[in-house]
Amino acid sequence: MNINLKSLLLGTSLSLMPTLTNAQCVATTDCATLGYTETSCPDGKGLKCPFGNTFACPATDKSVCEKYGFKYTCTGEGYAGGVGQSCNKQYESCTCAENYEWKDGKCEKIPEPILGQCTGRAKNCKIGQILNNDGSCSNDKVSGKTPIGVVIYIGSDNCGYAMTASMIEGSRSIVWSSSDTTTGIGSTTKWQTAIKNFDACANTQKIIQQGNSSQYPAAWAAVNYAPSAAPATKGKWCLPAPGMLNSLYKNLNAINNTISKLGGTQLADDNEHIWSSSEYNSVNAWVFCTGNSYGLFGDYKDGRYSHAPYNVRPVIAF
């Protein structure tokens, strides 16, 4: 018969009288096995092992509580209270106040999101929500916050990307490149491969390293963009990767609904072609359109035969 010391610490009464069961009991004189593990107890208060000189101590000593996992007082800034039962006013874990999270055995303030950087905060967001200028997500406009985009993709690493609700100023009928040049950036003619590419900003940076804004207008337009509500994001916006545009297509209804809330232009009836950050081949790049079943196709980088305007709707990481 074992004594559950954890129950003793929580004030559960002990009984040394066995109950009759059909199971066979095995007698033991091992004090430690029975839960008598302390050499002494505070103020001499405890239960001595009948077969030795060790004790089981009640919950009056901090060290005893901590030994059995009750080591957090759950008080102070950022704490909302303890989880479960307590031992000498200590708990096994704590609940945290708003804007705090339980991490490494304490309530830590959740760091402010950094727009343009993957922080893992997208775990609190959903595709189709608004991304606000403070890095938060919402279903609708929130007083005191300014929307800067619509969430179109969230990765398994909780890294999210939001796209502008409309093409950015000056990007209507913009070209990917001014000539047929091969950069090798994300180059593939297979959409099954293209939709696995999510390297929006890495690809965009590679493009602008190839030449100036006259040679690669779309990528430079994305990099030079910054909304007035978040001026510090200049240089952090990117051409979306094909995988993100595929996510946009698969979630188009939810994203279009949010675009309308923000007064933007919905994507429908092949009304816009949005440049990606990846090549199709030496003369073509991947673009978004609503006319294809996967939302992508390869077209001339200079848009020479387009029946819809090629433009830039950049994305930003959060």
PDB file of all heavy atoms in Angstrom, residues 256-285:
ATOM      1  N   ASN A 256     -11.404  38.172 -50.799  1.00  0.00           N
ATOM      2  CA  ASN A 256     -12.169  39.204 -51.509  1.00  0.00           C
ATOM      3  C   ASN A 256     -13.158  39.918 -50.588  1.00  0.00           C
ATOM      4  O   ASN A 256     -13.367  41.130 -50.704  1.00  0.00           O
ATOM      5  CB  ASN A 256     -12.920  38.591 -52.688  1.00  0.00           C
ATOM      6  CG  ASN A 256     -12.123  38.659 -53.986  1.00  0.00           C
ATOM      7  OD1 ASN A 256     -11.237  39.493 -54.141  1.00  0.00           O
ATOM      8  ND2 ASN A 256     -12.436  37.783 -54.919  1.00  0.00           N
ATOM      9  N   ASN A 257     -13.757  39.177 -49.670  1.00  0.00           N
ATOM     10  CA  ASN A 257     -14.686  39.802 -48.718  1.00  0.00           C
ATOM     11  C   ASN A 257     -13.960  40.858 -47.876  1.00  0.00           C
ATOM     12  O   ASN A 257     -14.496  41.945 -47.620  1.00  0.00           O
ATOM     13  CB  ASN A 257     -15.311  38.744 -47.804  1.00  0.00           C
ATOM     14  CG  ASN A 257     -16.342  37.897 -48.517  1.00  0.00           C
ATOM     15  OD1 ASN A 257     -16.900  38.314 -49.528  1.00  0.00           O
ATOM     16  ND2 ASN A 257     -16.596  36.706 -48.009  1.00  0.00           N
ATOM     17  N   THR A 258     -12.756  40.521 -47.451  1.00  0.00           N
ATOM     18  CA  THR A 258     -11.982  41.472 -46.641  1.00  0.00           C
ATOM     19  C   THR A 258     -11.492  42.634 -47.496  1.00  0.00           C
ATOM     20  O   THR A 258     -11.462  43.783 -47.031  1.00  0.00           O
ATOM     21  CB  THR A 258     -10.797  40.762 -45.973  1.00  0.00           C
ATOM     22  OG1 THR A 258     -11.292  39.669 -45.199  1.00  0.00           O
ATOM     23  CG2 THR A 258     -10.041  41.705 -45.061  1.00  0.00           C
ATOM     24  N   ILE A 259     -11.108  42.373 -48.722  1.00  0.00           N
ATOM     25  CA  ILE A 259     -10.707  43.438 -49.635  1.00  0.00           C
ATOM     26  C   ILE A 259     -11.831  44.466 -49.761  1.00  0.00           C
ATOM     27  O   ILE A 259     -11.596  45.675 -49.756  1.00  0.00           O
ATOM     28  CB  ILE A 259     -10.332  42.860 -51.019  1.00  0.00           C
ATOM     29  CG1 ILE A 259      -8.971  42.161 -50.939  1.00  0.00           C
ATOM     30  CG2 ILE A 259     -10.291  43.956 -52.076  1.00  0.00           C
ATOM     31  CD1 ILE A 259      -8.563  41.436 -52.212  1.00  0.00           C
ATOM     32  N   SER A 260     -13.065  43.985 -49.840  1.00  0.00           N
ATOM     33  CA  SER A 260     -14.217  44.900 -49.918  1.00  0.00           C
ATOM     34  C   SER A 260     -14.361  45.730 -48.661  1.00  0.00           C
ATOM     35  O   SER A 260     -14.682  46.923 -48.715  1.00  0.00           O
ATOM     36  CB  SER A 260     -15.503  44.105 -50.181  1.00  0.00           C
ATOM     37  OG  SER A 260     -15.496  43.552 -51.471  1.00  0.00           O
ATOM     38  N   LYS A 261     -14.116  45.130 -47.502  1.00  0.00           N
ATOM     39  CA  LYS A 261     -14.201  45.869 -46.239  1.00  0.00           C
ATOM     40  C   LYS A 261     -13.207  47.022 -46.204  1.00  0.00           C
ATOM     41  O   LYS A 261     -13.446  48.043 -45.552  1.00  0.00           O
ATOM     42  CB  LYS A 261     -13.928  44.929 -45.054  1.00  0.00           C
ATOM     43  CG  LYS A 261     -14.994  43.875 -44.809  1.00  0.00           C
ATOM     44  CD  LYS A 261     -14.592  42.981 -43.649  1.00  0.00           C
ATOM     45  CE  LYS A 261     -15.614  41.877 -43.419  1.00  0.00           C
ATOM     46  NZ  LYS A 261     -15.222  40.978 -42.293  1.00  0.00           N
ATOM     47  N   LEU A 262     -12.101  46.834 -46.896  1.00  0.00           N
ATOM     48  CA  LEU A 262     -11.048  47.854 -46.894  1.00  0.00           C
ATOM     49  C   LEU A 262     -11.168  48.816 -48.074  1.00  0.00           C
ATOM     50  O   LEU A 262     -10.318  49.691 -48.255  1.00  0.00           O
ATOM     51  CB  LEU A 262      -9.674  47.181 -46.926  1.00  0.00           C
ATOM     52  CG  LEU A 262      -9.372  46.210 -45.763  1.00  0.00           C
ATOM     53  CD1 LEU A 262      -7.959  45.670 -45.870  1.00  0.00           C
ATOM     54  CD2 LEU A 262      -9.578  46.889 -44.415  1.00  0.00           C
ATOM     55  N   GLY A 263     -12.223  48.637 -48.864  1.00  0.00           N
ATOM     56  CA  GLY A 263     -12.427  49.525 -50.001  1.00  0.00           C
ATOM     57  C   GLY A 263     -11.492  49.248 -51.160  1.00  0.00           C
ATOM     58  O   GLY A 263     -11.269  50.120 -52.017  1.00  0.00           O
ATOM     59  N   GLY A 264     -10.939  48.041 -51.215  1.00  0.00           N
ATOM     60  CA  GLY A 264     -10.019  47.677 -52.283  1.00  0.00           C
ATOM     61  C   GLY A 264     -10.736  47.101 -53.491  1.00  0.00           C
ATOM     62  O   GLY A 264     -11.973  47.064 -53.545  1.00  0.00           O
ATOM     63  N   THR A 265      -9.955  46.634 -54.437  1.00  0.00           N
ATOM     64  CA  THR A 265     -10.497  46.058 -55.665  1.00  0.00           C
ATOM     65  C   THR A 265     -10.459  44.544 -55.588  1.00  0.00           C
ATOM     66  O   THR A 265      -9.379  43.943 -55.454  1.00  0.00           O
ATOM     67  CB  THR A 265      -9.677  46.515 -56.888  1.00  0.00           C
ATOM     68  OG1 THR A 265      -9.658  47.938 -56.930  1.00  0.00           O
ATOM     69  CG2 THR A 265     -10.271  45.980 -58.178  1.00  0.00           C
ATOM     70  N   GLN A 266     -11.630  43.914 -55.645  1.00  0.00           N
ATOM     71  CA  GLN A 266     -11.690  42.460 -55.603  1.00  0.00           C
ATOM     72  C   GLN A 266     -11.041  41.859 -56.843  1.00  0.00           C
ATOM     73  O   GLN A 266     -10.980  42.466 -57.906  1.00  0.00           O
ATOM     74  CB  GLN A 266     -13.138  41.988 -55.500  1.00  0.00           C
ATOM     75  CG  GLN A 266     -13.767  42.180 -54.143  1.00  0.00           C
ATOM     76  CD  GLN A 266     -15.006  41.323 -53.954  1.00  0.00           C
ATOM     77  OE1 GLN A 266     -15.456  40.631 -54.865  1.00  0.00           O
ATOM     78  NE2 GLN A 266     -15.570  41.371 -52.762  1.00  0.00           N
ATOM     79  N   LEU A 267     -10.588  40.625 -56.681  1.00  0.00           N
ATOM     80  CA  LEU A 267      -9.977  39.883 -57.783  1.00  0.00           C
ATOM     81  C   LEU A 267     -11.012  38.923 -58.351  1.00  0.00           C
ATOM     82  O   LEU A 267     -11.415  37.963 -57.680  1.00  0.00           O
ATOM     83  CB  LEU A 267      -8.752  39.122 -57.282  1.00  0.00           C
ATOM     84  CG  LEU A 267      -7.630  40.010 -56.746  1.00  0.00           C
ATOM     85  CD1 LEU A 267      -6.658  39.200 -55.893  1.00  0.00           C
ATOM     86  CD2 LEU A 267      -6.899  40.686 -57.892  1.00  0.00           C
ATOM     87  N   ALA A 268     -11.485  39.201 -59.561  1.00  0.00           N
ATOM     88  CA  ALA A 268     -12.539  38.378 -60.166  1.00  0.00           C
ATOM     89  C   ALA A 268     -12.526  38.554 -61.677  1.00  0.00           C
ATOM     90  O   ALA A 268     -12.089  39.588 -62.201  1.00  0.00           O
ATOM     91  CB  ALA A 268     -13.904  38.774 -59.606  1.00  0.00           C
ATOM     92  N   ASP A 269     -13.004  37.515 -62.366  1.00  0.00           N
ATOM     93  CA  ASP A 269     -13.165  37.578 -63.823  1.00  0.00           C
ATOM     94  C   ASP A 269     -11.870  37.959 -64.531  1.00  0.00           C
ATOM     95  O   ASP A 269     -11.884  38.661 -65.543  1.00  0.00           O
ATOM     96  CB  ASP A 269     -14.278  38.561 -64.199  1.00  0.00           C
ATOM     97  CG  ASP A 269     -15.615  38.179 -63.580  1.00  0.00           C
ATOM     98  OD1 ASP A 269     -15.893  36.961 -63.494  1.00  0.00           O
ATOM     99  OD2 ASP A 269     -16.357  39.087 -63.165  1.00  0.00           O
ATOM    100  N   ASP A 270     -10.759  37.501 -63.998  1.00  0.00           N
ATOM    101  CA  ASP A 270      -9.456  37.734 -64.621  1.00  0.00           C
ATOM    102  C   ASP A 270      -9.180  39.224 -64.831  1.00  0.00           C
ATOM    103  O   ASP A 270      -8.607  39.636 -65.844  1.00  0.00           O
ATOM    104  CB  ASP A 270      -9.390  36.991 -65.966  1.00  0.00           C
ATOM    105  CG  ASP A 270      -7.958  36.719 -66.405  1.00  0.00           C
ATOM    106  OD1 ASP A 270      -7.066  36.743 -65.532  1.00  0.00           O
ATOM    107  OD2 ASP A 270      -7.740  36.495 -67.605  1.00  0.00           O
ATOM    108  N   ASN A 271      -9.630  40.043 -63.855  1.00  0.00           N
ATOM    109  CA  ASN A 271      -9.495  41.499 -64.007  1.00  0.00           C
ATOM    110  C   ASN A 271      -8.099  42.020 -63.704  1.00  0.00           C
ATOM    111  O   ASN A 271      -7.777  43.148 -64.059  1.00  0.00           O
ATOM    112  CB  ASN A 271     -10.507  42.218 -63.102  1.00  0.00           C
ATOM    113  CG  ASN A 271     -10.261  41.925 -61.621  1.00  0.00           C
ATOM    114  OD1 ASN A 271      -9.786  40.855 -61.263  1.00  0.00           O
ATOM    115  ND2 ASN A 271     -10.609  42.865 -60.765  1.00  0.00           N
ATOM    116  N   GLU A 272      -7.269  41.218 -63.041  1.00  0.00           N
ATOM    117  CA  GLU A 272      -5.904  41.642 -62.736  1.00  0.00           C
ATOM    118  C   GLU A 272      -4.935  40.481 -62.886  1.00  0.00           C
ATOM    119  O   GLU A 272      -5.276  39.340 -62.570  1.00  0.00           O
ATOM    120  CB  GLU A 272      -5.795  42.163 -61.299  1.00  0.00           C
ATOM    121  CG  GLU A 272      -6.240  43.573 -61.071  1.00  0.00           C
ATOM    122  CD  GLU A 272      -5.904  44.031 -59.656  1.00  0.00           C
ATOM    123  OE1 GLU A 272      -4.808  43.676 -59.152  1.00  0.00           O
ATOM    124  OE2 GLU A 272      -6.727  44.737 -59.055  1.00  0.00           O
ATOM    125  N   HIS A 273      -3.747  40.784 -63.325  1.00  0.00           N
ATOM    126  CA  HIS A 273      -2.641  39.837 -63.297  1.00  0.00           C
ATOM    127  C   HIS A 273      -1.598  40.403 -62.336  1.00  0.00           C
ATOM    128  O   HIS A 273      -1.156  41.536 -62.500  1.00  0.00           O
ATOM    129  CB  HIS A 273      -2.047  39.649 -64.690  1.00  0.00           C
ATOM    130  CG  HIS A 273      -2.967  38.960 -65.647  1.00  0.00           C
ATOM    131  ND1 HIS A 273      -2.739  38.897 -66.997  1.00  0.00           N
ATOM    132  CD2 HIS A 273      -4.140  38.301 -65.436  1.00  0.00           C
ATOM    133  CE1 HIS A 273      -3.710  38.229 -67.592  1.00  0.00           C
ATOM    134  NE2 HIS A 273      -4.582  37.861 -66.672  1.00  0.00           N
ATOM    135  N   ILE A 274      -1.247  39.610 -61.339  1.00  0.00           N
ATOM    136  CA  ILE A 274      -0.329  40.069 -60.295  1.00  0.00           C
ATOM    137  C   ILE A 274       1.007  39.357 -60.457  1.00  0.00           C
ATOM    138  O   ILE A 274       1.073  38.127 -60.478  1.00  0.00           O
ATOM    139  CB  ILE A 274      -0.907  39.773 -58.891  1.00  0.00           C
ATOM    140  CG1 ILE A 274      -2.270  40.456 -58.728  1.00  0.00           C
ATOM    141  CG2 ILE A 274       0.057  40.239 -57.806  1.00  0.00           C
ATOM    142  CD1 ILE A 274      -2.994  40.048 -57.466  1.00  0.00           C
ATOM    143  N   TRP A 275       2.063  40.138 -60.563  1.00  0.00           N
ATOM    144  CA  TRP A 275       3.388  39.553 -60.734  1.00  0.00           C
ATOM    145  C   TRP A 275       3.833  38.793 -59.481  1.00  0.00           C
ATOM    146  O   TRP A 275       3.635  39.249 -58.367  1.00  0.00           O
ATOM    147  CB  TRP A 275       4.419  40.643 -61.020  1.00  0.00           C
ATOM    148  CG  TRP A 275       4.337  41.269 -62.383  1.00  0.00           C
ATOM    149  CD1 TRP A 275       4.075  42.572 -62.663  1.00  0.00           C
ATOM    150  CD2 TRP A 275       4.556  40.622 -63.642  1.00  0.00           C
ATOM    151  NE1 TRP A 275       4.100  42.786 -64.020  1.00  0.00           N
ATOM    152  CE2 TRP A 275       4.391  41.607 -64.650  1.00  0.00           C
ATOM    153  CE3 TRP A 275       4.860  39.309 -64.033  1.00  0.00           C
ATOM    154  CZ2 TRP A 275       4.531  41.307 -66.006  1.00  0.00           C
ATOM    155  CZ3 TRP A 275       4.998  39.027 -65.378  1.00  0.00           C
ATOM    156  CH2 TRP A 275       4.836  40.007 -66.354  1.00  0.00           C
ATOM    157  N   SER A 276       4.456  37.642 -59.703  1.00  0.00           N
ATOM    158  CA  SER A 276       5.094  36.900 -58.619  1.00  0.00           C
ATOM    159  C   SER A 276       6.579  37.230 -58.602  1.00  0.00           C
ATOM    160  O   SER A 276       7.086  37.980 -59.439  1.00  0.00           O
ATOM    161  CB  SER A 276       4.904  35.393 -58.817  1.00  0.00           C
ATOM    162  OG  SER A 276       5.867  34.876 -59.728  1.00  0.00           O
ATOM    163  N   SER A 277       7.290  36.619 -57.679  1.00  0.00           N
ATOM    164  CA  SER A 277       8.737  36.838 -57.564  1.00  0.00           C
ATOM    165  C   SER A 277       9.530  35.732 -58.243  1.00  0.00           C
ATOM    166  O   SER A 277      10.745  35.638 -58.042  1.00  0.00           O
ATOM    167  CB  SER A 277       9.120  36.913 -56.081  1.00  0.00           C
ATOM    168  OG  SER A 277       8.730  35.726 -55.406  1.00  0.00           O
ATOM    169  N   SER A 278       8.867  34.900 -59.054  1.00  0.00           N
ATOM    170  CA  SER A 278       9.551  33.755 -59.663  1.00  0.00           C
ATOM    171  C   SER A 278       9.407  33.722 -61.177  1.00  0.00           C
ATOM    172  O   SER A 278       8.367  34.094 -61.727  1.00  0.00           O
ATOM    173  CB  SER A 278       9.001  32.439 -59.092  1.00  0.00           C
ATOM    174  OG  SER A 278       9.285  32.323 -57.722  1.00  0.00           O
ATOM    175  N   GLU A 279      10.440  33.245 -61.819  1.00  0.00           N
ATOM    176  CA  GLU A 279      10.424  33.072 -63.269  1.00  0.00           C
ATOM    177  C   GLU A 279       9.667  31.814 -63.671  1.00  0.00           C
ATOM    178  O   GLU A 279       9.586  30.847 -62.898  1.00  0.00           O
ATOM    179  CB  GLU A 279      11.849  32.956 -63.808  1.00  0.00           C
ATOM    180  CG  GLU A 279      12.609  34.245 -63.904  1.00  0.00           C
ATOM    181  CD  GLU A 279      13.927  34.055 -64.615  1.00  0.00           C
ATOM    182  OE1 GLU A 279      14.461  32.923 -64.611  1.00  0.00           O
ATOM    183  OE2 GLU A 279      14.430  35.042 -65.164  1.00  0.00           O
ATOM    184  N   TYR A 280       9.161  31.847 -64.861  1.00  0.00           N
ATOM    185  CA  TYR A 280       8.612  30.658 -65.525  1.00  0.00           C
ATOM    186  C   TYR A 280       9.702  30.071 -66.420  1.00  0.00           C
ATOM    187  O   TYR A 280       9.995  28.892 -66.381  1.00  0.00           O
ATOM    188  CB  TYR A 280       7.380  31.058 -66.341  1.00  0.00           C
ATOM    189  CG  TYR A 280       6.730  29.929 -67.092  1.00  0.00           C
ATOM    190  CD1 TYR A 280       5.693  29.197 -66.516  1.00  0.00           C
ATOM    191  CD2 TYR A 280       7.114  29.612 -68.385  1.00  0.00           C
ATOM    192  CE1 TYR A 280       5.081  28.163 -67.218  1.00  0.00           C
ATOM    193  CE2 TYR A 280       6.511  28.590 -69.100  1.00  0.00           C
ATOM    194  CZ  TYR A 280       5.496  27.864 -68.513  1.00  0.00           C
ATOM    195  OH  TYR A 280       4.885  26.844 -69.207  1.00  0.00           O
ATOM    196  N   ASN A 281      10.300  30.932 -67.228  1.00  0.00           N
ATOM    197  CA  ASN A 281      11.476  30.598 -68.025  1.00  0.00           C
ATOM    198  C   ASN A 281      12.182  31.905 -68.393  1.00  0.00           C
ATOM    199  O   ASN A 281      11.909  32.943 -67.790  1.00  0.00           O
ATOM    200  CB  ASN A 281      11.108  29.767 -69.265  1.00  0.00           C
ATOM    201  CG  ASN A 281      10.098  30.460 -70.158  1.00  0.00           C
ATOM    202  OD1 ASN A 281       9.967  31.693 -70.140  1.00  0.00           O
ATOM    203  ND2 ASN A 281       9.375  29.679 -70.952  1.00  0.00           N
ATOM    204  N   SER A 282      13.035  31.879 -69.402  1.00  0.00           N
ATOM    205  CA  SER A 282      13.840  33.061 -69.707  1.00  0.00           C
ATOM    206  C   SER A 282      13.014  34.263 -70.148  1.00  0.00           C
ATOM    207  O   SER A 282      13.420  35.409 -69.938  1.00  0.00           O
ATOM    208  CB  SER A 282      14.876  32.730 -70.786  1.00  0.00           C
ATOM    209  OG  SER A 282      14.227  32.336 -71.984  1.00  0.00           O
ATOM    210  N   VAL A 283      11.848  34.038 -70.730  1.00  0.00           N
ATOM    211  CA  VAL A 283      11.049  35.166 -71.232  1.00  0.00           C
ATOM    212  C   VAL A 283       9.739  35.362 -70.476  1.00  0.00           C
ATOM    213  O   VAL A 283       9.033  36.341 -70.713  1.00  0.00           O
ATOM    214  CB  VAL A 283      10.743  35.004 -72.744  1.00  0.00           C
ATOM    215  CG1 VAL A 283      12.023  35.024 -73.546  1.00  0.00           C
ATOM    216  CG2 VAL A 283       9.947  33.727 -73.017  1.00  0.00           C
ATOM    217  N   ASN A 284       9.415  34.450 -69.585  1.00  0.00           N
ATOM    218  CA  ASN A 284       8.149  34.516 -68.853  1.00  0.00           C
ATOM    219  C   ASN A 284       8.360  34.490 -67.343  1.00  0.00           C
ATOM    220  O   ASN A 284       9.374  33.991 -66.853  1.00  0.00           O
ATOM    221  CB  ASN A 284       7.238  33.343 -69.241  1.00  0.00           C
ATOM    222  CG  ASN A 284       6.883  33.339 -70.701  1.00  0.00           C
ATOM    223  OD1 ASN A 284       6.207  34.239 -71.176  1.00  0.00           O
ATOM    224  ND2 ASN A 284       7.354  32.326 -71.433  1.00  0.00           N
ATOM    225  N   ALA A 285       7.375  35.011 -66.627  1.00  0.00           N
ATOM    226  CA  ALA A 285       7.358  34.942 -65.159  1.00  0.00           C
ATOM    227  C   ALA A 285       5.982  34.447 -64.729  1.00  0.00           C
ATOM    228  O   ALA A 285       4.998  34.549 -65.484  1.00  0.00           O
ATOM    229  CB  ALA A 285       7.651  36.308 -64.551  1.00  0.00           C
TER     230      ALA A 285
END
